Amino acid sequence: EVQLVESGGGLLQPGGSLRLSCAASGFDFSNAWMHWVRQVPGKGLVWVSYINSDGSYTAYADSVKGRFTISRDNGKNTVFLQMNSLRAEDTALYYCARDVSYAMAAWGQGTTVIVS
Amino acid sequence: QSALTQSRSVSGSPGQSVTISCTGTSSDIGTYDFVSWYQHHPGRAPKLIIYDVSRRPSGVPYRFSGSKSGNTASLTISGLQVEDEADYYCCSHTGSYTWMFGGGTKVTVL
């Protein structure tokens, strides 16, 4: 069974930093593309970042470019999202997702980040 | 990067069909056949129900179907069921390994 478990969320002040983790199991993680997607309470889903299977290519939404960094440790089946210079508008539930054919085929339950 | 355009809400009675549209541009939906749809019940993880415009993952009921014409993608739910009441989001690849979601459509079963 595919499982994605996010962790690392919390409450912090504007300008702070946080690192989210997503532990994966049940599939060949080292060959999987991964994403982070966020949802502000009461609002829609927003794509945040992508990383390819070996971590050599990453991409970001304009709203987080230069502040967030996605990375992965294939030995630990974990993908990370380092978030710096956090703003109130980064407050959201952050999901990690596994990509299959350019779609987010499996999702975790999310971890909540509150910047206030 | 602005969101793909979806109608805010749609409703139907059990057994009816509803269609949700998702309008993008020639830079996203119009160029790529990597359109996906997600069902999201509040408090739960989103669920992929359509990928590659019209393909259904294993286990997704046949009543969910997807299509695309030009810059607009559509999701049709045929034979609406009570459990289909949820938020639905479209998503398109937008080149250079970036993606964009629609604003979401709330489906209400009357």
Side-chain angles (χ1 to χ4, degrees):
Chain A
E1 179 192 4
V2 173
Q3 275 204 314
L4 296 167
V5 180
E6 302 92 338
S7 61
L11 169 63
L12 65 163
Q13 294 183 339
S17 297
L18 203 60
R19 188 173 86 152
L20 306 183
S21 300
C22 171
S25 60
F27 63 98
D28 183 6
F29 180 79
S30 62
N31 284 309
W33 296 354
M34 298 295 295
H35 300 270
W36 286 96
V37 176
R38 69 186 182 185
Q39 183 176 34
V40 173
K43 303 292 186 180
L45 300 174
V46 175
W47 175 80
V48 173
S49 185
Y50 153 90
I51 189 166
N52 70 345
S53 57
D54 66 3
S56 61
Y57 192 89
T58 59
Y60 301 92
D62 287 345
S63 58
V64 306
K65 201 174 295 183
R67 300 187 299 122
F68 289 13
T69 301
I70 190 171
S71 62
R72 64 192 296 158
D73 183 338
N74 285 347
K76 295 183 178 179
N77 284 7
T78 302
V79 62
F80 304 99
L81 187 67
Q82 176 67 44
M83 305 186 296
N84 298 330
S85 303
L86 280 160
R87 307 166 180 167
E89 54 264 36
D90 295 318
T91 293
L93 179 62
Y94 284 76
Y95 295 101
C96 72
R98 171 199 180 190
D99 186 288
V100 174
S101 190
Y102 292 75
M104 286 128 217
W107 299 65
Q109 292 297 320
T111 187
T112 298
V113 173
I114 300 173
V115 184
S116 176
Chain B
Q1 292 175 337
S2 51
L4 304 174
T5 301
Q6 294 182 238
S7 50
R8 291 289 297 270
S9 64
V10 65
S11 61
S13 300
Q16 288 186 329
S17 293
V18 296
T19 296
I20 302 167
S21 63
C22 171
T23 302
T25 70
S26 58
S27 298
D28 39 68
I29 293 176
T31 293
Y32 301 100
D33 285 337
F34 297 124
V35 177
S36 51
W37 289 89
Y38 303 85
Q39 178 189 63
H40 192 198
H41 290 103
R44 291 162 57 173
K47 176 185 176 183
L48 175 67
I49 55 173
I50 295 288
Y51 68 103
D52 290 355
V53 175
S54 60
R55 302 181 71 171
R56 270 185 312 276
S58 174
V60 173
Y62 289 110
R63 65 180 183 274
F64 293 96
S65 62
S67 63
K68 186 184 92 166
S69 177
N71 298 338
T72 298
S74 298
L75 173 73
T76 297
I77 310 174
S78 306
L80 198 61
Q81 298 190 7
V82 172
E83 59 264 33
D84 297 335
E85 185 162 295
D87 297 319
Y88 291 81
Y89 295 89
C90 62
C91 182
S92 177
H93 182 60
T94 52
S96 301
Y97 297 97
T98 62
W99 280 257
M100 184 184 301
F101 282 92
T105 298
K106 181 174 181 58
V107 171
T108 301
V109 182
L110 302 172

